[in-house]
Amino acid sequence: MKIFKFGGASVKDAESVKNVSMVLKSQGFAKCLLVISAMGKTTNELEKVVELYFKKDNYQTEIEKIKRKHIEIAEGLFPENHAVFAEINLFFDDIDSFLRRNKSPNYNFVYDQVVSCGEMISTKIVSEYLNEIQFTNQWLDARDYIKTDNSYREGVVDWTKTEEFISNLNPEICYVTQGFIGSDDNNFTVTLGREGSDYSAAIFAYCLNADAMTIWKDVPGVMTGDPRKFSNVSLLSNISYEEAIEMAYYGASVIHPKTLQPLQQKNIPFYVKSFVDPTKAGTKVGASENNQQEESYILKENQNLLKISTRDFSFIAEDHMSLIFGHLSKYKIKVSLMQNSAISLALCLEDKFNHLEELNEELQKIFKTEAIKNVSLFTVRNAKMDHIDRFYQDKTVLLEQISKNTVQMVTQ
């Protein structure tokens, strides 16, 4: 089987959904599984619904706006009496019904039950449209196949159960399913982390022993830098799994960090291609004699710098490190860069769940701390060290780290 993943930008409106069918026509619509994200900015809009709900504000108006947008997309794809309109209404009624009866104060739990509906609706529209134009497919609820623990918003996959369920699929037919979501033992929805649809595609690819996996983006492939942030960037046509994992870890937005590991384990080639021009080769990630190691630039924004030091000038010892990282794990705060000296530790942190203040308060009971919010982590992979000075131009550098071929700096 082939696994194709289409992100939100590729299904943002009726014309985009039609374009998905053109991409499939160019690739051959047979023995494939499509993983589809929520349409356009729907995830952000549903996040706003959850925020309004917890503020006890008028979230129903926001739900109605999102529903109207999806109905308008469907009106550009289907005749007016098509059954898909009743399906769309039903999904949005389910969101409203869940929020009306919910008694859980757990923000992350509520978030997963509501925000996941974006993927459910988009896949139903795409699946029905493809069937309408004779691209025969079966719609799947990914929650019946990807099983996780109950770590809401950061689900940990139960690979044994997941592989058991997915391996029952018929490899001779085509499927349309959701990215980003799974379910726990109680069949509550659990999301796999923001931008987790690529990871979903990799899970299906792994469990189905797929021939290849392709993600379709609005860029030509993996570039040496985000063209929206850097000039004079070029396409990387072949890179290794290891290079892709490093780039994803440092913040390259075109690849989700968890995606590569399952693919690498079974040596499944991974392509990043353009849905604007599907005939172009794009980028191949995998084992190859032609893998490139070009100088590449990655900017990871919305980071925080936390400086920690002992109060009595004693060493930052192993027990201190254990305590600090225990708190980081507790608050689900990820370390993007770390640098330590004898009496201090500097951490560049990604605070997705907004727990930095609580972490800081906890650490201040024992340490001196200084928190600097809204910094950026700038990384240069395969850096040409003889021209290193140019990386520092027009930057206020708060922290830097240089290894054999990688330059990293935290900047304001």
Side-chain angles (χ1 to χ4, degrees):
M1 289 191 83
K2 301 187 293 282
I3 309 298
F4 293 150
K5 181 261 172 173
F6 290 91
S10 64
V11 290
K12 65 182 179 183
D13 52 32
E15 288 307 309
S16 299
V17 173
K18 290 175 184 176
N19 185 64
V20 166
S21 71
M22 298 307 294
V23 171
L24 295 172
K25 191 173 181 180
S26 75
Q27 301 300 303
F29 190 64
K31 296 184 182 180
C32 64
L33 182 141
L34 274 55
V35 174
I36 313 279
S37 298
M39 294 177 147
K41 300 294 183 184
T42 301
T43 300
N44 295 349
E45 292 159 0
L46 287 168
E47 285 177 337
K48 187 177 176 185
V49 169
V50 178
E51 287 172 20
L52 291 169
Y53 169 77
F54 276 96
K55 289 177 182 173
K56 295 185 167 39
D57 207 339
N58 179 17
Y59 62 84
Q60 288 95 340
T61 301
E62 193 65 26
I63 292 174
E64 196 58 37
K65 266 184 356 193
I66 304 167
K67 180 169 85 169
R68 184 68 243 159
K69 186 183 78 173
H70 283 80
I71 287 173
E72 285 171 6
I73 292 171
E75 285 171 345
L77 298 169
F78 301 98
E80 62 181 32
N81 60 346
H82 196 280
V84 77
F85 293 100
E87 296 266 13
I88 293 169
N89 282 315
L90 194 59
F91 278 122
F92 283 100
D93 288 347
D94 282 349
I95 296 173
D96 190 46
S97 174
F98 166 76
L99 290 173
R100 285 179 188 279
R101 70 175 189 273
N102 173 62
K103 295 288 186 275
S104 173
N106 184 338
Y107 186 96
N108 294 335
F109 167 76
V110 174
Y111 176 102
D112 278 4
Q113 311 318 304
V114 172
V115 171
S116 58
C117 290
E119 275 70 19
M120 302 300 290
I121 299 160
S122 70
T123 53
K124 183 59 75 171
I125 290 171
V126 172
S127 175
E128 292 283 357
Y129 175 71
L130 292 177
N131 278 323
E132 189 83 358
I133 61 169
Q134 309 308 310
F135 278 178
T136 305
N137 71 90
Q138 185 176 324
W139 181 84
L140 297 181
D141 187 335
R143 298 171 298 186
D144 294 335
Y145 295 89
I146 296 179
K147 307 306 287 186
T148 72
D149 67 358
N150 62 357
S151 302
Y152 299 109
R153 295 183 72 185
E154 281 287 343
V156 177
V157 174
D158 182 327
W159 283 95
T160 303
K161 288 182 181 176
T162 297
E163 196 164 6
E164 179 188 336
F165 289 128
I166 292 177
S167 63
N168 289 325
L169 293 175
N170 182 353
E172 298 299 316
I173 66 175
C174 294
Y175 297 98
V176 174
T177 193
Q178 307 78 37
F180 182 53
I181 63 173
S183 68
D184 63 16
D185 286 342
N186 293 313
N187 291 320
F188 287 117
T189 306
V190 182
T191 63
L192 305 177
R194 200 72 157 82
E195 308 296 339
S197 292
D198 291 359
Y199 185 37
S200 297
I203 294 167
F204 278 103
Y206 176 92
C207 295
L208 290 166
N209 296 306
D211 288 340
M213 172 179 145
T214 305
I215 60 172
W216 296 92
K217 310 282 282 187
D218 56 358
V219 292
V222 179
M223 312 291 286
T224 55
D226 186 335
R228 294 166 295 190
K229 297 173 183 175
F230 301 99
S231 57
N232 302 318
V233 295
S234 57
L235 177 71
L236 292 164
S237 55
N238 286 275
I239 55 175
S240 66
Y241 292 114
E242 291 79 8
E243 184 67 16
I245 288 168
E246 292 282 359
M247 291 177 73
Y249 174 76
Y250 291 132
S253 59
V254 77
I255 306 169
H256 187 273
K258 294 178 183 174
T259 302
L260 282 304
Q261 189 184 19
L263 300 176
Q264 184 183 26
Q265 284 181 19
K266 290 193 175 178
N267 201 23
I268 298 169
F270 168 44
Y271 296 90
V272 181
K273 300 180 74 172
S274 168
F275 61 73
V276 179
D277 191 350
T279 60
K280 293 281 179 68
T283 300
K284 178 184 177 184
V285 179
S288 170
E289 294 177 3
N290 303 316
N291 283 339
Q292 297 160 279
Q293 289 194 318
E294 302 289 330
E295 188 172 83
S296 303
Y297 317 101
I298 303 160
L299 188 66
K300 198 173 188 180
E301 297 173 305
N302 303 314
Q303 302 289 291
N304 303 278
L305 182 61
L306 185 62
K307 297 179 179 179
I308 305 165
S309 58
T310 54
R311 294 185 180 278
D312 59 359
F313 290 94
S314 61
F315 290 160
I316 294 271
E318 286 77 5
D319 56 339
H320 292 137
M321 297 286 269
S322 177
L323 177 70
I324 292 165
F325 276 83
H327 286 312
L328 288 167
S329 175
K330 172 185 171 183
Y331 291 115
K332 296 184 178 180
I333 296 175
K334 293 184 178 177
V335 179
S336 301
L337 180 68
M338 169 179 136
Q339 191 175 91
N340 67 299
S341 68
I343 60 171
S344 68
L345 178 67
L347 301 170
C348 181
L349 302 172
E350 186 173 346
D351 180 29
K352 183 159 53 170
F353 299 108
N354 299 315
H355 291 316
L356 184 65
E357 298 286 352
E358 294 164 87
L359 171 70
N360 202 16
E361 284 177 22
E362 199 89 52
L363 293 176
Q364 282 177 346
K365 295 173 184 175
I366 302 169
F367 305 100
K368 286 195 296 184
T369 69
E370 179 190 0
I372 305 170
K373 295 184 178 181
N374 297 318
V375 299
S376 296
L377 176 61
F378 175 53
T379 302
V380 184
R381 287 283 297 162
N382 305 307
K384 296 170 183 171
M385 294 301 184
D386 50 342
H387 298 294
I388 197 170
D389 291 349
R390 64 201 161 99
F391 301 135
Y392 294 86
Q393 293 172 6
D394 305 319
K395 292 184 178 71
T396 302
V397 179
L398 305 174
L399 184 70
E400 64 179 319
Q401 196 159 282
I402 301 174
S403 63
K404 182 181 175 183
N405 67 346
T406 303
V407 177
Q408 291 191 280
M409 55 186 79
V410 178
T411 66
Q412 273 186 316

mmCIF file of all heavy atoms in Angstrom, residues 23-53:
data_model
loop_
_atom_site.group_PDB
_atom_site.id
_atom_site.type_symbol
_atom_site.label_atom_id
_atom_site.label_comp_id
_atom_site.label_asym_id
_atom_site.label_seq_id
_atom_site.Cartn_x
_atom_site.Cartn_y
_atom_site.Cartn_z
ATOM 1 N N VAL A 23 -4.390 15.304 -7.728
ATOM 2 C CA VAL A 23 -3.134 14.716 -7.241
ATOM 3 C C VAL A 23 -3.233 13.198 -7.272
ATOM 4 O O VAL A 23 -2.327 12.502 -7.755
ATOM 5 C CB VAL A 23 -2.808 15.201 -5.806
ATOM 6 C CG1 VAL A 23 -1.623 14.426 -5.231
ATOM 7 C CG2 VAL A 23 -2.519 16.699 -5.791
ATOM 8 N N LEU A 24 -4.355 12.670 -6.786
ATOM 9 C CA LEU A 24 -4.541 11.216 -6.756
ATOM 10 C C LEU A 24 -4.575 10.639 -8.169
ATOM 11 O O LEU A 24 -4.044 9.557 -8.431
ATOM 12 C CB LEU A 24 -5.828 10.872 -6.014
ATOM 13 C CG LEU A 24 -5.846 11.225 -4.520
ATOM 14 C CD1 LEU A 24 -7.232 11.006 -3.943
ATOM 15 C CD2 LEU A 24 -4.816 10.418 -3.763
ATOM 16 N N LYS A 25 -5.183 11.383 -9.085
ATOM 17 C CA LYS A 25 -5.229 10.933 -10.483
ATOM 18 C C LYS A 25 -3.812 10.820 -11.051
ATOM 19 O O LYS A 25 -3.489 9.871 -11.766
ATOM 20 C CB LYS A 25 -6.057 11.921 -11.301
ATOM 21 C CG LYS A 25 -6.414 11.440 -12.691
ATOM 22 C CD LYS A 25 -7.369 12.416 -13.366
ATOM 23 C CE LYS A 25 -7.748 11.918 -14.751
ATOM 24 N NZ LYS A 25 -8.681 12.852 -15.428
ATOM 25 N N SER A 26 -2.957 11.787 -10.689
ATOM 26 C CA SER A 26 -1.583 11.774 -11.200
ATOM 27 C C SER A 26 -0.742 10.660 -10.585
ATOM 28 O O SER A 26 0.231 10.202 -11.176
ATOM 29 C CB SER A 26 -0.908 13.129 -10.935
ATOM 30 O OG SER A 26 -0.546 13.258 -9.567
ATOM 31 N N GLN A 27 -1.126 10.216 -9.370
ATOM 32 C CA GLN A 27 -0.328 9.214 -8.652
ATOM 33 C C GLN A 27 -0.843 7.791 -8.833
ATOM 34 O O GLN A 27 -0.129 6.831 -8.570
ATOM 35 C CB GLN A 27 -0.321 9.537 -7.140
ATOM 36 C CG GLN A 27 0.248 10.905 -6.793
ATOM 37 C CD GLN A 27 1.683 11.059 -7.233
ATOM 38 O OE1 GLN A 27 2.554 10.291 -6.850
ATOM 39 N NE2 GLN A 27 1.935 12.078 -8.057
ATOM 40 N N GLY A 28 -2.084 7.674 -9.261
ATOM 41 C CA GLY A 28 -2.698 6.355 -9.359
ATOM 42 C C GLY A 28 -3.460 6.039 -8.082
ATOM 43 O O GLY A 28 -2.877 5.845 -7.025
ATOM 44 N N PHE A 29 -4.793 6.013 -8.182
ATOM 45 C CA PHE A 29 -5.635 5.824 -7.002
ATOM 46 C C PHE A 29 -5.946 4.343 -6.842
ATOM 47 O O PHE A 29 -6.986 3.846 -7.246
ATOM 48 C CB PHE A 29 -6.917 6.649 -7.135
ATOM 49 C CG PHE A 29 -7.738 6.711 -5.875
ATOM 50 C CD1 PHE A 29 -7.225 7.320 -4.741
ATOM 51 C CD2 PHE A 29 -9.006 6.166 -5.817
ATOM 52 C CE1 PHE A 29 -7.983 7.379 -3.561
ATOM 53 C CE2 PHE A 29 -9.772 6.224 -4.652
ATOM 54 C CZ PHE A 29 -9.249 6.836 -3.533
ATOM 55 N N ALA A 30 -5.007 3.627 -6.276
ATOM 56 C CA ALA A 30 -5.193 2.196 -6.037
ATOM 57 C C ALA A 30 -4.334 1.786 -4.859
ATOM 58 O O ALA A 30 -3.218 2.286 -4.689
ATOM 59 C CB ALA A 30 -4.794 1.401 -7.277
ATOM 60 N N LYS A 31 -4.870 0.900 -4.009
ATOM 61 C CA LYS A 31 -4.133 0.386 -2.853
ATOM 62 C C LYS A 31 -3.481 1.519 -2.061
ATOM 63 O O LYS A 31 -2.278 1.526 -1.825
ATOM 64 C CB LYS A 31 -3.056 -0.607 -3.298
ATOM 65 C CG LYS A 31 -3.588 -1.863 -3.940
ATOM 66 C CD LYS A 31 -2.454 -2.823 -4.245
ATOM 67 C CE LYS A 31 -2.965 -4.067 -4.944
ATOM 68 N NZ LYS A 31 -1.873 -5.012 -5.251
ATOM 69 N N CYS A 32 -4.284 2.487 -1.686
ATOM 70 C CA CYS A 32 -3.710 3.601 -0.919
ATOM 71 C C CYS A 32 -4.605 3.949 0.271
ATOM 72 O O CYS A 32 -5.809 3.673 0.274
ATOM 73 C CB CYS A 32 -3.462 4.821 -1.793
ATOM 74 S SG CYS A 32 -4.924 5.569 -2.489
ATOM 75 N N LEU A 33 -3.982 4.542 1.266
ATOM 76 C CA LEU A 33 -4.698 5.031 2.445
ATOM 77 C C LEU A 33 -4.384 6.511 2.587
ATOM 78 O O LEU A 33 -3.217 6.907 2.613
ATOM 79 C CB LEU A 33 -4.275 4.258 3.693
ATOM 80 C CG LEU A 33 -4.985 4.647 5.000
ATOM 81 C CD1 LEU A 33 -5.271 3.402 5.851
ATOM 82 C CD2 LEU A 33 -4.142 5.630 5.817
ATOM 83 N N LEU A 34 -5.446 7.329 2.620
ATOM 84 C CA LEU A 34 -5.292 8.779 2.741
ATOM 85 C C LEU A 34 -5.503 9.197 4.190
ATOM 86 O O LEU A 34 -6.512 8.832 4.801
ATOM 87 C CB LEU A 34 -6.329 9.503 1.870
ATOM 88 C CG LEU A 34 -6.000 9.751 0.400
ATOM 89 C CD1 LEU A 34 -5.642 8.476 -0.334
ATOM 90 C CD2 LEU A 34 -7.172 10.457 -0.275
ATOM 91 N N VAL A 35 -4.559 9.943 4.718
ATOM 92 C CA VAL A 35 -4.680 10.534 6.053
ATOM 93 C C VAL A 35 -4.901 12.028 5.845
ATOM 94 O O VAL A 35 -4.081 12.709 5.217
ATOM 95 C CB VAL A 35 -3.408 10.278 6.887
ATOM 96 C CG1 VAL A 35 -3.489 11.023 8.218
ATOM 97 C CG2 VAL A 35 -3.214 8.783 7.123
ATOM 98 N N ILE A 36 -6.022 12.546 6.344
ATOM 99 C CA ILE A 36 -6.427 13.929 6.067
ATOM 100 C C ILE A 36 -6.504 14.727 7.365
ATOM 101 O O ILE A 36 -7.026 14.250 8.371
ATOM 102 C CB ILE A 36 -7.817 13.981 5.380
ATOM 103 C CG1 ILE A 36 -7.893 12.983 4.226
ATOM 104 C CG2 ILE A 36 -8.163 15.389 4.940
ATOM 105 C CD1 ILE A 36 -7.300 13.394 2.938
ATOM 106 N N SER A 37 -5.997 15.959 7.310
ATOM 107 C CA SER A 37 -6.086 16.876 8.459
ATOM 108 C C SER A 37 -7.410 17.641 8.426
ATOM 109 O O SER A 37 -8.172 17.554 7.460
ATOM 110 C CB SER A 37 -4.931 17.879 8.413
ATOM 111 O OG SER A 37 -3.685 17.234 8.506
ATOM 112 N N ALA A 38 -7.642 18.423 9.472
ATOM 113 C CA ALA A 38 -8.792 19.336 9.495
ATOM 114 C C ALA A 38 -8.613 20.399 8.419
ATOM 115 O O ALA A 38 -7.498 20.719 8.009
ATOM 116 C CB ALA A 38 -8.912 19.979 10.870
ATOM 117 N N MET A 39 -9.720 20.944 7.949
ATOM 118 C CA MET A 39 -9.683 21.876 6.819
ATOM 119 C C MET A 39 -9.167 23.254 7.226
ATOM 120 O O MET A 39 -9.684 23.869 8.165
ATOM 121 C CB MET A 39 -11.079 22.005 6.215
ATOM 122 C CG MET A 39 -11.542 20.702 5.571
ATOM 123 S SD MET A 39 -13.205 20.769 4.910
ATOM 124 C CE MET A 39 -13.042 19.658 3.495
ATOM 125 N N GLY A 40 -8.147 23.742 6.510
ATOM 126 C CA GLY A 40 -7.632 25.088 6.740
ATOM 127 C C GLY A 40 -7.227 25.314 8.183
ATOM 128 O O GLY A 40 -6.418 24.572 8.734
ATOM 129 N N LYS A 41 -7.812 26.318 8.800
ATOM 130 C CA LYS A 41 -7.484 26.695 10.184
ATOM 131 C C LYS A 41 -8.521 26.184 11.189
ATOM 132 O O LYS A 41 -8.687 26.749 12.277
ATOM 133 C CB LYS A 41 -7.375 28.230 10.295
ATOM 134 C CG LYS A 41 -6.312 28.848 9.399
ATOM 135 C CD LYS A 41 -4.913 28.422 9.817
ATOM 136 C CE LYS A 41 -3.835 29.084 8.976
ATOM 137 N NZ LYS A 41 -2.484 28.605 9.315
ATOM 138 N N THR A 42 -9.221 25.111 10.830
ATOM 139 C CA THR A 42 -10.306 24.612 11.692
ATOM 140 C C THR A 42 -9.817 24.245 13.087
ATOM 141 O O THR A 42 -10.516 24.487 14.086
ATOM 142 C CB THR A 42 -10.987 23.384 11.038
ATOM 143 O OG1 THR A 42 -11.495 23.762 9.765
ATOM 144 C CG2 THR A 42 -12.112 22.859 11.904
ATOM 145 N N THR A 43 -8.616 23.639 13.186
ATOM 146 C CA THR A 43 -8.100 23.266 14.510
ATOM 147 C C THR A 43 -7.987 24.494 15.403
ATOM 148 O O THR A 43 -8.414 24.473 16.572
ATOM 149 C CB THR A 43 -6.732 22.559 14.380
ATOM 150 O OG1 THR A 43 -6.896 21.381 13.578
ATOM 151 C CG2 THR A 43 -6.201 22.158 15.751
ATOM 152 N N ASN A 44 -7.437 25.597 14.868
ATOM 153 C CA ASN A 44 -7.335 26.845 15.645
ATOM 154 C C ASN A 44 -8.707 27.344 16.068
ATOM 155 O O ASN A 44 -8.901 27.819 17.196
ATOM 156 C CB ASN A 44 -6.641 27.940 14.814
ATOM 157 C CG ASN A 44 -5.198 27.613 14.496
ATOM 158 O OD1 ASN A 44 -4.638 26.667 15.051
ATOM 159 N ND2 ASN A 44 -4.589 28.370 13.618
ATOM 160 N N GLU A 45 -9.674 27.239 15.166
ATOM 161 C CA GLU A 45 -11.026 27.731 15.450
ATOM 162 C C GLU A 45 -11.705 26.885 16.527
ATOM 163 O O GLU A 45 -12.409 27.420 17.399
ATOM 164 C CB GLU A 45 -11.843 27.744 14.156
ATOM 165 C CG GLU A 45 -11.337 28.782 13.151
ATOM 166 C CD GLU A 45 -11.760 28.490 11.712
ATOM 167 O OE1 GLU A 45 -12.453 27.471 11.489
ATOM 168 O OE2 GLU A 45 -11.369 29.269 10.819
ATOM 169 N N LEU A 46 -11.477 25.577 16.486
ATOM 170 C CA LEU A 46 -12.048 24.706 17.523
ATOM 171 C C LEU A 46 -11.331 24.890 18.861
ATOM 172 O O LEU A 46 -11.942 24.741 19.927
ATOM 173 C CB LEU A 46 -11.989 23.251 17.073
ATOM 174 C CG LEU A 46 -12.995 22.861 15.972
ATOM 175 C CD1 LEU A 46 -12.678 21.498 15.390
ATOM 176 C CD2 LEU A 46 -14.423 22.888 16.512
ATOM 177 N N GLU A 47 -10.043 25.227 18.816
ATOM 178 C CA GLU A 47 -9.336 25.571 20.057
ATOM 179 C C GLU A 47 -9.985 26.785 20.713
ATOM 180 O O GLU A 47 -10.110 26.849 21.945
ATOM 181 C CB GLU A 47 -7.862 25.866 19.760
ATOM 182 C CG GLU A 47 -7.033 24.632 19.480
ATOM 183 C CD GLU A 47 -5.594 24.945 19.115
ATOM 184 O OE1 GLU A 47 -5.316 26.075 18.650
ATOM 185 O OE2 GLU A 47 -4.746 24.068 19.284
ATOM 186 N N LYS A 48 -10.418 27.727 19.888
ATOM 187 C CA LYS A 48 -11.103 28.921 20.425
ATOM 188 C C LYS A 48 -12.426 28.535 21.090
ATOM 189 O O LYS A 48 -12.804 29.091 22.131
ATOM 190 C CB LYS A 48 -11.348 29.923 19.294
ATOM 191 C CG LYS A 48 -11.904 31.256 19.768
ATOM 192 C CD LYS A 48 -12.066 32.242 18.626
ATOM 193 C CE LYS A 48 -12.705 33.532 19.115
ATOM 194 N NZ LYS A 48 -12.984 34.471 17.990
ATOM 195 N N VAL A 49 -13.125 27.555 20.518
ATOM 196 C CA VAL A 49 -14.376 27.062 21.120
ATOM 197 C C VAL A 49 -14.101 26.546 22.532
ATOM 198 O O VAL A 49 -14.827 26.853 23.482
ATOM 199 C CB VAL A 49 -14.994 25.940 20.247
ATOM 200 C CG1 VAL A 49 -16.133 25.241 21.002
ATOM 201 C CG2 VAL A 49 -15.512 26.502 18.934
ATOM 202 N N VAL A 50 -13.027 25.762 22.673
ATOM 203 C CA VAL A 50 -12.680 25.202 23.986
ATOM 204 C C VAL A 50 -12.349 26.325 24.966
ATOM 205 O O VAL A 50 -12.785 26.303 26.132
ATOM 206 C CB VAL A 50 -11.499 24.211 23.861
ATOM 207 C CG1 VAL A 50 -11.113 23.668 25.236
ATOM 208 C CG2 VAL A 50 -11.857 23.060 22.930
ATOM 209 N N GLU A 51 -11.578 27.317 24.515
ATOM 210 C CA GLU A 51 -11.237 28.456 25.393
ATOM 211 C C GLU A 51 -12.493 29.188 25.855
ATOM 212 O O GLU A 51 -12.643 29.514 27.036
ATOM 213 C CB GLU A 51 -10.314 29.430 24.641
ATOM 214 C CG GLU A 51 -8.897 28.916 24.448
ATOM 215 C CD GLU A 51 -8.089 29.814 23.530
ATOM 216 O OE1 GLU A 51 -8.471 30.993 23.357
ATOM 217 O OE2 GLU A 51 -7.082 29.333 22.978
ATOM 218 N N LEU A 52 -13.398 29.456 24.923
ATOM 219 C CA LEU A 52 -14.648 30.153 25.274
ATOM 220 C C LEU A 52 -15.485 29.320 26.245
ATOM 221 O O LEU A 52 -16.096 29.860 27.169
ATOM 222 C CB LEU A 52 -15.453 30.455 24.005
ATOM 223 C CG LEU A 52 -14.863 31.504 23.064
ATOM 224 C CD1 LEU A 52 -15.607 31.523 21.733
ATOM 225 C CD2 LEU A 52 -14.894 32.892 23.706
ATOM 226 N N TYR A 53 -15.514 28.011 26.030
ATOM 227 C CA TYR A 53 -16.265 27.118 26.915
ATOM 228 C C TYR A 53 -15.753 27.219 28.346
ATOM 229 O O TYR A 53 -16.548 27.327 29.292
ATOM 230 C CB TYR A 53 -16.154 25.679 26.395
ATOM 231 C CG TYR A 53 -16.674 24.642 27.364
ATOM 232 C CD1 TYR A 53 -18.043 24.427 27.531
ATOM 233 C CD2 TYR A 53 -15.792 23.872 28.125
ATOM 234 C CE1 TYR A 53 -18.519 23.470 28.416
ATOM 235 C CE2 TYR A 53 -16.264 22.910 29.024
ATOM 236 C CZ TYR A 53 -17.623 22.723 29.167
ATOM 237 O OH TYR A 53 -18.091 21.785 30.052
#
